[in-house]
PDB file of all heavy atoms in Angstrom:
ATOM      1  N   LEU A 119       0.821  -1.211   0.000  1.00 91.00           N
ATOM      2  CA  LEU A 119       0.000   0.000   0.000  1.00 91.00           C
ATOM      3  C   LEU A 119       0.856   1.262   0.000  1.00 91.00           C
ATOM      4  O   LEU A 119       0.545   2.244  -0.692  1.00 91.00           O
ATOM      5  CB  LEU A 119      -0.916  -0.013   1.228  1.00 91.00           C
ATOM      6  CG  LEU A 119      -1.959   1.092   1.325  1.00 91.00           C
ATOM      7  CD1 LEU A 119      -2.986   0.964   0.206  1.00 91.00           C
ATOM      8  CD2 LEU A 119      -2.656   1.013   2.690  1.00 91.00           C
ATOM      9  N   SER A 120       1.935   1.246   0.787  1.00 92.00           N
ATOM     10  CA  SER A 120       2.768   2.447   0.896  1.00 92.00           C
ATOM     11  C   SER A 120       4.210   2.081   1.209  1.00 92.00           C
ATOM     12  O   SER A 120       4.466   1.314   2.151  1.00 92.00           O
ATOM     13  CB  SER A 120       2.244   3.366   2.000  1.00 92.00           C
ATOM     14  OG  SER A 120       3.165   4.408   2.259  1.00 92.00           O
ATOM     15  N   PRO A 121       5.168   2.639   0.464  1.00 93.00           N
ATOM     16  CA  PRO A 121       6.583   2.379   0.778  1.00 93.00           C
ATOM     17  C   PRO A 121       6.993   2.949   2.126  1.00 93.00           C
ATOM     18  O   PRO A 121       8.004   2.542   2.690  1.00 93.00           O
ATOM     19  CB  PRO A 121       7.327   3.071  -0.364  1.00 93.00           C
ATOM     20  CG  PRO A 121       6.394   4.129  -0.854  1.00 93.00           C
ATOM     21  CD  PRO A 121       5.019   3.552  -0.684  1.00 93.00           C
ATOM     22  N   TRP A 122       6.208   3.891   2.641  1.00 95.00           N
ATOM     23  CA  TRP A 122       6.571   4.527   3.903  1.00 95.00           C
ATOM     24  C   TRP A 122       6.300   3.634   5.105  1.00 95.00           C
ATOM     25  O   TRP A 122       6.816   3.871   6.193  1.00 95.00           O
ATOM     26  CB  TRP A 122       5.842   5.872   4.040  1.00 95.00           C
ATOM     27  CG  TRP A 122       6.205   6.778   2.906  1.00 95.00           C
ATOM     28  CD1 TRP A 122       5.424   7.121   1.840  1.00 95.00           C
ATOM     29  CD2 TRP A 122       7.470   7.412   2.693  1.00 95.00           C
ATOM     30  NE1 TRP A 122       6.119   7.927   0.968  1.00 95.00           N
ATOM     31  CE2 TRP A 122       7.378   8.128   1.476  1.00 95.00           C
ATOM     32  CE3 TRP A 122       8.674   7.448   3.393  1.00 95.00           C
ATOM     33  CZ2 TRP A 122       8.433   8.863   0.961  1.00 95.00           C
ATOM     34  CZ3 TRP A 122       9.723   8.177   2.881  1.00 95.00           C
ATOM     35  CH2 TRP A 122       9.603   8.881   1.683  1.00 95.00           C
ATOM     36  N   PHE A 123       5.511   2.587   4.909  1.00 96.00           N
ATOM     37  CA  PHE A 123       5.327   1.611   5.986  1.00 96.00           C
ATOM     38  C   PHE A 123       6.673   0.957   6.316  1.00 96.00           C
ATOM     39  O   PHE A 123       7.126   0.966   7.467  1.00 96.00           O
ATOM     40  CB  PHE A 123       4.306   0.556   5.564  1.00 96.00           C
ATOM     41  CG  PHE A 123       4.162  -0.569   6.550  1.00 96.00           C
ATOM     42  CD1 PHE A 123       3.369  -0.422   7.666  1.00 96.00           C
ATOM     43  CD2 PHE A 123       4.825  -1.783   6.354  1.00 96.00           C
ATOM     44  CE1 PHE A 123       3.228  -1.464   8.590  1.00 96.00           C
ATOM     45  CE2 PHE A 123       4.697  -2.822   7.264  1.00 96.00           C
ATOM     46  CZ  PHE A 123       3.893  -2.659   8.386  1.00 96.00           C
ATOM     47  N   GLY A 124       7.311   0.384   5.304  1.00 97.00           N
ATOM     48  CA  GLY A 124       8.586  -0.277   5.540  1.00 97.00           C
ATOM     49  C   GLY A 124       9.712   0.677   5.886  1.00 97.00           C
ATOM     50  O   GLY A 124      10.616   0.335   6.657  1.00 97.00           O
ATOM     51  N   ARG A 125       9.668   1.882   5.314  1.00 97.00           N
ATOM     52  CA  ARG A 125      10.694   2.867   5.667  1.00 97.00           C
ATOM     53  C   ARG A 125      10.599   3.218   7.153  1.00 97.00           C
ATOM     54  O   ARG A 125      11.621   3.348   7.851  1.00 97.00           O
ATOM     55  CB  ARG A 125      10.536   4.127   4.802  1.00 97.00           C
ATOM     56  CG  ARG A 125      10.788   3.937   3.315  1.00 97.00           C
ATOM     57  CD  ARG A 125      12.255   3.663   3.021  1.00 97.00           C
ATOM     58  NE  ARG A 125      13.129   4.751   3.404  1.00 97.00           N
ATOM     59  CZ  ARG A 125      13.472   5.783   2.627  1.00 97.00           C
ATOM     60  NH1 ARG A 125      12.981   5.864   1.386  1.00 97.00           N
ATOM     61  NH2 ARG A 125      14.312   6.706   3.054  1.00 97.00           N
ATOM     62  N   THR A 126       9.369   3.374   7.646  1.00 97.00           N
ATOM     63  CA  THR A 126       9.190   3.684   9.070  1.00 97.00           C
ATOM     64  C   THR A 126       9.601   2.503   9.934  1.00 97.00           C
ATOM     65  O   THR A 126      10.282   2.671  10.960  1.00 97.00           O
ATOM     66  CB  THR A 126       7.731   4.065   9.348  1.00 97.00           C
ATOM     67  OG1 THR A 126       7.344   5.121   8.468  1.00 97.00           O
ATOM     68  CG2 THR A 126       7.550   4.532  10.784  1.00 97.00           C
ATOM     69  N   LEU A 127       9.213   1.306   9.542  1.00 98.00           N
ATOM     70  CA  LEU A 127       9.663   0.120  10.272  1.00 98.00           C
ATOM     71  C   LEU A 127      11.182   0.031  10.233  1.00 98.00           C
ATOM     72  O   LEU A 127      11.818  -0.380  11.212  1.00 98.00           O
ATOM     73  CB  LEU A 127       9.029  -1.135   9.675  1.00 98.00           C
ATOM     74  CG  LEU A 127       9.350  -2.456  10.375  1.00 98.00           C
ATOM     75  CD1 LEU A 127       8.939  -2.431  11.836  1.00 98.00           C
ATOM     76  CD2 LEU A 127       8.675  -3.619   9.646  1.00 98.00           C
ATOM     77  N   GLY A 128      11.780   0.455   9.123  1.00 98.00           N
ATOM     78  CA  GLY A 128      13.236   0.465   9.023  1.00 98.00           C
ATOM     79  C   GLY A 128      13.888   1.348  10.082  1.00 98.00           C
ATOM     80  O   GLY A 128      14.984   1.022  10.570  1.00 98.00           O
ATOM     81  N   ARG A 129      13.253   2.458  10.425  1.00 98.00           N
ATOM     82  CA  ARG A 129      13.783   3.297  11.520  1.00 98.00           C
ATOM     83  C   ARG A 129      13.805   2.510  12.823  1.00 98.00           C
ATOM     84  O   ARG A 129      14.759   2.596  13.609  1.00 98.00           O
ATOM     85  CB  ARG A 129      12.922   4.548  11.697  1.00 98.00           C
ATOM     86  CG  ARG A 129      13.028   5.574  10.587  1.00 98.00           C
ATOM     87  CD  ARG A 129      12.492   6.915  11.055  1.00 98.00           C
ATOM     88  NE  ARG A 129      13.400   7.521  12.032  1.00 98.00           N
ATOM     89  CZ  ARG A 129      13.017   8.398  12.969  1.00 98.00           C
ATOM     90  NH1 ARG A 129      11.750   8.751  13.061  1.00 98.00           N
ATOM     91  NH2 ARG A 129      13.891   8.906  13.799  1.00 98.00           N
ATOM     92  N   GLN A 130      12.726   1.738  13.075  1.00 98.00           N
ATOM     93  CA  GLN A 130      12.686   0.922  14.282  1.00 98.00           C
ATOM     94  C   GLN A 130      13.739  -0.182  14.241  1.00 98.00           C
ATOM     95  O   GLN A 130      14.396  -0.464  15.249  1.00 98.00           O
ATOM     96  CB  GLN A 130      11.298   0.313  14.441  1.00 98.00           C
ATOM     97  CG  GLN A 130      11.139  -0.628  15.620  1.00 98.00           C
ATOM     98  CD  GLN A 130      11.402   0.048  16.936  1.00 98.00           C
ATOM     99  OE1 GLN A 130      10.493   0.595  17.542  1.00 98.00           O
ATOM    100  NE2 GLN A 130      12.655   0.030  17.409  1.00 98.00           N
ATOM    101  N   VAL A 131      13.923  -0.774  13.078  1.00 98.00           N
ATOM    102  CA  VAL A 131      14.936  -1.827  12.932  1.00 98.00           C
ATOM    103  C   VAL A 131      16.330  -1.260  13.174  1.00 98.00           C
ATOM    104  O   VAL A 131      17.162  -1.873  13.847  1.00 98.00           O
ATOM    105  CB  VAL A 131      14.839  -2.477  11.540  1.00 98.00           C
ATOM    106  CG1 VAL A 131      16.001  -3.426  11.299  1.00 98.00           C
ATOM    107  CG2 VAL A 131      13.516  -3.226  11.384  1.00 98.00           C
ATOM    108  N   ALA A 132      16.595  -0.074  12.643  1.00 98.00           N
ATOM    109  CA  ALA A 132      17.905   0.550  12.846  1.00 98.00           C
ATOM    110  C   ALA A 132      18.188   0.753  14.325  1.00 98.00           C
ATOM    111  O   ALA A 132      19.293   0.440  14.818  1.00 98.00           O
ATOM    112  CB  ALA A 132      17.961   1.888  12.100  1.00 98.00           C
ATOM    113  N   GLN A 133      17.210   1.276  15.053  1.00 98.00           N
ATOM    114  CA  GLN A 133      17.399   1.461  16.492  1.00 98.00           C
ATOM    115  C   GLN A 133      17.646   0.132  17.191  1.00 98.00           C
ATOM    116  O   GLN A 133      18.523   0.007  18.057  1.00 98.00           O
ATOM    117  CB  GLN A 133      16.183   2.152  17.108  1.00 98.00           C
ATOM    118  CG  GLN A 133      16.357   2.444  18.600  1.00 98.00           C
ATOM    119  CD  GLN A 133      15.058   2.381  19.392  1.00 98.00           C
ATOM    120  OE1 GLN A 133      14.077   1.817  18.925  1.00 98.00           O
ATOM    121  NE2 GLN A 133      15.058   2.973  20.576  1.00 98.00           N
ATOM    122  N   ALA A 134      16.883  -0.893  16.819  1.00 98.00           N
ATOM    123  CA  ALA A 134      17.000  -2.189  17.479  1.00 98.00           C
ATOM    124  C   ALA A 134      18.349  -2.843  17.192  1.00 98.00           C
ATOM    125  O   ALA A 134      18.943  -3.470  18.076  1.00 98.00           O
ATOM    126  CB  ALA A 134      15.856  -3.098  17.028  1.00 98.00           C
ATOM    127  N   LEU A 135      18.836  -2.719  15.968  1.00 98.00           N
ATOM    128  CA  LEU A 135      20.154  -3.275  15.651  1.00 98.00           C
ATOM    129  C   LEU A 135      21.231  -2.619  16.504  1.00 98.00           C
ATOM    130  O   LEU A 135      22.118  -3.298  17.052  1.00 98.00           O
ATOM    131  CB  LEU A 135      20.456  -3.069  14.165  1.00 98.00           C
ATOM    132  CG  LEU A 135      19.674  -3.933  13.172  1.00 98.00           C
ATOM    133  CD1 LEU A 135      19.862  -3.420  11.750  1.00 98.00           C
ATOM    134  CD2 LEU A 135      20.098  -5.396  13.256  1.00 98.00           C
ATOM    135  N   ARG A 136      21.160  -1.290  16.616  1.00 98.00           N
ATOM    136  CA  ARG A 136      22.161  -0.587  17.433  1.00 98.00           C
ATOM    137  C   ARG A 136      22.048  -0.990  18.902  1.00 98.00           C
ATOM    138  O   ARG A 136      23.059  -1.250  19.570  1.00 98.00           O
ATOM    139  CB  ARG A 136      21.965   0.923  17.294  1.00 98.00           C
ATOM    140  CG  ARG A 136      22.258   1.491  15.913  1.00 98.00           C
ATOM    141  CD  ARG A 136      22.154   3.013  15.951  1.00 98.00           C
ATOM    142  NE  ARG A 136      22.307   3.630  14.643  1.00 98.00           N
ATOM    143  CZ  ARG A 136      21.325   4.214  13.968  1.00 98.00           C
ATOM    144  NH1 ARG A 136      20.105   4.264  14.487  1.00 98.00           N
ATOM    145  NH2 ARG A 136      21.552   4.756  12.779  1.00 98.00           N
ATOM    146  N   ALA A 137      20.816  -1.031  19.411  1.00 98.00           N
ATOM    147  CA  ALA A 137      20.613  -1.285  20.833  1.00 98.00           C
ATOM    148  C   ALA A 137      21.006  -2.700  21.240  1.00 98.00           C
ATOM    149  O   ALA A 137      21.434  -2.928  22.374  1.00 98.00           O
ATOM    150  CB  ALA A 137      19.144  -1.030  21.200  1.00 98.00           C
ATOM    151  N   THR A 138      20.856  -3.644  20.324  1.00 98.00           N
ATOM    152  CA  THR A 138      21.127  -5.033  20.673  1.00 98.00           C
ATOM    153  C   THR A 138      22.484  -5.526  20.168  1.00 98.00           C
ATOM    154  O   THR A 138      22.851  -6.679  20.401  1.00 98.00           O
ATOM    155  CB  THR A 138      20.026  -5.958  20.099  1.00 98.00           C
ATOM    156  OG1 THR A 138      20.018  -5.871  18.669  1.00 98.00           O
ATOM    157  CG2 THR A 138      18.657  -5.557  20.640  1.00 98.00           C
ATOM    158  N   GLY A 139      23.225  -4.669  19.477  1.00 98.00           N
ATOM    159  CA  GLY A 139      24.552  -5.035  19.003  1.00 98.00           C
ATOM    160  C   GLY A 139      24.543  -6.165  17.994  1.00 98.00           C
ATOM    161  O   GLY A 139      25.467  -6.979  17.953  1.00 98.00           O
ATOM    162  N   THR A 140      23.501  -6.208  17.152  1.00 98.00           N
ATOM    163  CA  THR A 140      23.401  -7.263  16.140  1.00 98.00           C
ATOM    164  C   THR A 140      23.484  -6.656  14.741  1.00 98.00           C
ATOM    165  O   THR A 140      23.340  -5.436  14.568  1.00 98.00           O
ATOM    166  CB  THR A 140      22.077  -8.040  16.293  1.00 98.00           C
ATOM    167  OG1 THR A 140      20.978  -7.126  16.260  1.00 98.00           O
ATOM    168  CG2 THR A 140      22.044  -8.796  17.611  1.00 98.00           C
ATOM    169  N   ASP A 141      23.730  -7.518  13.742  1.00 98.00           N
ATOM    170  CA  ASP A 141      23.896  -7.002  12.383  1.00 98.00           C
ATOM    171  C   ASP A 141      23.159  -7.849  11.345  1.00 98.00           C
ATOM    172  O   ASP A 141      23.491  -7.835  10.170  1.00 98.00           O
ATOM    173  CB  ASP A 141      25.376  -6.894  12.016  1.00 98.00           C
ATOM    174  CG  ASP A 141      26.099  -8.236  12.011  1.00 98.00           C
ATOM    175  OD1 ASP A 141      25.449  -9.279  12.290  1.00 98.00           O
ATOM    176  OD2 ASP A 141      27.307  -8.256  11.724  1.00 98.00           O
ATOM    177  N   GLU A 142      22.156  -8.608  11.786  1.00 98.00           N
ATOM    178  CA  GLU A 142      21.340  -9.381  10.858  1.00 98.00           C
ATOM    179  C   GLU A 142      19.865  -9.063  11.054  1.00 98.00           C
ATOM    180  O   GLU A 142      19.427  -8.780  12.183  1.00 98.00           O
ATOM    181  CB  GLU A 142      21.545 -10.892  11.045  1.00 98.00           C
ATOM    182  CG  GLU A 142      22.905 -11.386  10.585  1.00 98.00           C
ATOM    183  CD  GLU A 142      22.977 -12.903  10.527  1.00 98.00           C
ATOM    184  OE1 GLU A 142      22.011 -13.583  10.953  1.00 98.00           O
ATOM    185  OE2 GLU A 142      24.008 -13.405  10.050  1.00 98.00           O
ATOM    186  N   VAL A 143      19.112  -9.120   9.956  1.00 98.00           N
ATOM    187  CA  VAL A 143      17.653  -9.016  10.004  1.00 98.00           C
ATOM    188  C   VAL A 143      17.091 -10.312   9.442  1.00 98.00           C
ATOM    189  O   VAL A 143      17.565 -10.814   8.416  1.00 98.00           O
ATOM    190  CB  VAL A 143      17.146  -7.814   9.185  1.00 98.00           C
ATOM    191  CG1 VAL A 143      15.617  -7.747   9.223  1.00 98.00           C
ATOM    192  CG2 VAL A 143      17.757  -6.516   9.702  1.00 98.00           C
ATOM    193  N   TRP A 144      16.096 -10.856  10.118  1.00 98.00           N
ATOM    194  CA  TRP A 144      15.408 -12.058   9.673  1.00 98.00           C
ATOM    195  C   TRP A 144      13.947 -11.693   9.430  1.00 98.00           C
ATOM    196  O   TRP A 144      13.264 -11.201  10.334  1.00 98.00           O
ATOM    197  CB  TRP A 144      15.486 -13.154  10.733  1.00 98.00           C
ATOM    198  CG  TRP A 144      16.845 -13.755  10.891  1.00 98.00           C
ATOM    199  CD1 TRP A 144      17.958 -13.177  11.440  1.00 98.00           C
ATOM    200  CD2 TRP A 144      17.242 -15.068  10.505  1.00 98.00           C
ATOM    201  NE1 TRP A 144      19.015 -14.034  11.412  1.00 98.00           N
ATOM    202  CE2 TRP A 144      18.608 -15.216  10.845  1.00 98.00           C
ATOM    203  CE3 TRP A 144      16.575 -16.139   9.913  1.00 98.00           C
ATOM    204  CZ2 TRP A 144      19.310 -16.380  10.607  1.00 98.00           C
ATOM    205  CZ3 TRP A 144      17.270 -17.315   9.669  1.00 98.00           C
ATOM    206  CH2 TRP A 144      18.634 -17.435  10.019  1.00 98.00           C
ATOM    207  N   GLU A 145      13.469 -11.923   8.195  1.00 98.00           N
ATOM    208  CA  GLU A 145      12.062 -11.672   7.908  1.00 98.00           C
ATOM    209  C   GLU A 145      11.370 -12.992   7.607  1.00 98.00           C
ATOM    210  O   GLU A 145      11.823 -13.778   6.781  1.00 98.00           O
ATOM    211  CB  GLU A 145      11.886 -10.719   6.729  1.00 98.00           C
ATOM    212  CG  GLU A 145      10.413 -10.373   6.500  1.00 98.00           C
ATOM    213  CD  GLU A 145      10.156  -9.450   5.329  1.00 98.00           C
ATOM    214  OE1 GLU A 145      11.124  -8.934   4.734  1.00 98.00           O
ATOM    215  OE2 GLU A 145       8.962  -9.253   4.991  1.00 98.00           O
ATOM    216  N   PHE A 146      10.239 -13.210   8.271  1.00 97.00           N
ATOM    217  CA  PHE A 146       9.443 -14.419   8.079  1.00 97.00           C
ATOM    218  C   PHE A 146       8.259 -14.083   7.171  1.00 97.00           C
ATOM    219  O   PHE A 146       7.504 -13.157   7.438  1.00 97.00           O
ATOM    220  CB  PHE A 146       8.949 -14.948   9.425  1.00 97.00           C
ATOM    221  CG  PHE A 146      10.070 -15.376  10.330  1.00 97.00           C
ATOM    222  CD1 PHE A 146      10.661 -14.468  11.204  1.00 97.00           C
ATOM    223  CD2 PHE A 146      10.556 -16.676  10.288  1.00 97.00           C
ATOM    224  CE1 PHE A 146      11.711 -14.846  12.034  1.00 97.00           C
ATOM    225  CE2 PHE A 146      11.612 -17.064  11.101  1.00 97.00           C
ATOM    226  CZ  PHE A 146      12.182 -16.152  11.978  1.00 97.00           C
TER     227      PHE A 146
END
């Protein structure tokens, strides 16, 4: 529906990667 959905989720993913010291994303 909108590319901004994933872009916004990407902001959350970026924060989570930094906070947890990880460098992989897994999508189911």
Side-chain angles (χ1 to χ4, degrees):
L119 187 65
S120 170
W122 301 106
F123 174 82
R125 295 291 298 271
T126 306
L127 183 58
R129 290 197 71 206
Q130 177 61 89
V131 172
Q133 183 212 18
L135 288 168
R136 293 185 185 110
T138 62
T140 55
D141 62 0
E142 290 191 354
V143 179
W144 289 71
E145 184 181 353
F146 296 89

